[in-house]
Amino acid sequence: ILSVDQGMTRGWNMPEKAMRIPLDNWASYESSLNSQPIATKTAINVIIYLLGDWLSQTVFVKKNVLEFDAVRTIRNGLIGLVFGPIVHQYYEFSDYILPVEVGINRLYKIMMDQTIYLSVKCSIYIVAVNLLAGENWEYSVGMARDKIKGVMFTAWKFWPLVHCITYGAIPARHR
């Protein structure tokens, strides 16, 4: 953001700059996605995990945005770093076995996402969070076993609708 069109903004007013920066950043993202899809999606995934954890510690619980456990947030970023390539490969696999061009496949993809993928990914996440926090393997697996049912029921209230949009309007390369 800080170097977009550096030196080319002479005479531009604020609305022109406000329009140009997002367009130039999108073009940079598209270029990166074309040349390095896994690295680009992994970087986005890390940002999402960092931001999600920070928001869950601050904004969502109505606390000061500067009062959060930075180590916990970094641990979540590390998990996002590991999940990035895995999620990319999952979507590639999912698109291969269930191409969205066949209408009914969208329903099958949502069902697969909300059962197999959700239970495996969230279980691994819960175990990883606990292990990185210093808990032992047995405790971490027990936490995953105890929480996964509630996590899945909560996810089913939100994610199927999101996936209708994801598989209906979002190009595969941007998922």
Side-chain angles (χ1 to χ4, degrees):
I1 287 178
L2 299 177
S3 65
V4 171
D5 291 335
Q6 188 172 6
M8 293 179 56
T9 60
R10 185 172 305 196
W12 286 9
N13 60 31
M14 283 309 284
E16 289 170 325
K17 290 177 187 177
M19 182 180 76
R20 206 59 244 166
I21 290 173
L23 293 174
D24 287 349
N25 279 317
W26 183 257
S28 293
Y29 168 72
E30 285 288 319
S31 174
S32 180
L33 195 57
N34 284 332
S35 62
Q36 300 176 313
I38 294 174
T40 302
K41 290 179 182 182
T42 298
I44 297 293
N45 210 48
V46 169
I47 292 167
I48 290 168
Y49 274 73
L50 290 169
L51 186 59
D53 185 71
W54 172 72
L55 288 171
S56 72
Q57 290 186 63
T58 59
V59 175
F60 296 151
V61 292
K62 296 178 178 32
K63 289 187 177 177
N64 183 322
V65 295
L66 298 176
E67 294 179 17
F68 66 100
D69 181 351
V71 173
R72 175 184 138 170
T73 301
I74 290 169
R75 285 193 304 255
N76 270 277
L78 290 172
I79 294 169
L81 182 67
V82 172
F83 276 168
I86 295 168
V87 171
H88 170 79
Q89 293 301 327
Y90 167 76
Y91 278 114
E92 292 280 315
F93 172 73
S94 170
D95 288 341
Y96 177 75
I97 65 169
L98 296 167
V100 293
E101 295 76 27
V102 178
I104 192 71
N105 282 353
R106 291 180 185 150
L107 177 63
Y108 295 147
K109 286 169 88 78
I110 292 168
M111 289 171 52
M112 186 169 78
D113 281 355
Q114 295 305 302
T115 55
I116 300 165
Y117 176 73
L118 177 66
S119 62
V120 171
K121 184 180 178 198
C122 287
S123 294
I124 293 170
Y125 174 80
I126 293 167
V127 169
V129 163
N130 282 286
L131 289 174
L132 290 173
E135 299 295 344
N136 65 40
W137 176 257
E138 291 77 20
Y139 176 84
S140 301
V141 170
M143 287 298 289
R145 225 179 266 124
D146 292 345
K147 289 185 174 189
I148 195 63
K149 185 176 178 182
V151 167
M152 290 184 71
F153 281 121
T154 300
W156 291 340
K157 296 174 187 175
F158 175 74
W159 286 108
L161 177 61
V162 171
H163 286 309
C164 287
I165 296 165
T166 300
Y167 295 128
I170 307 296
R173 58 190 265 112
H174 294 293
R175 291 187 200 133

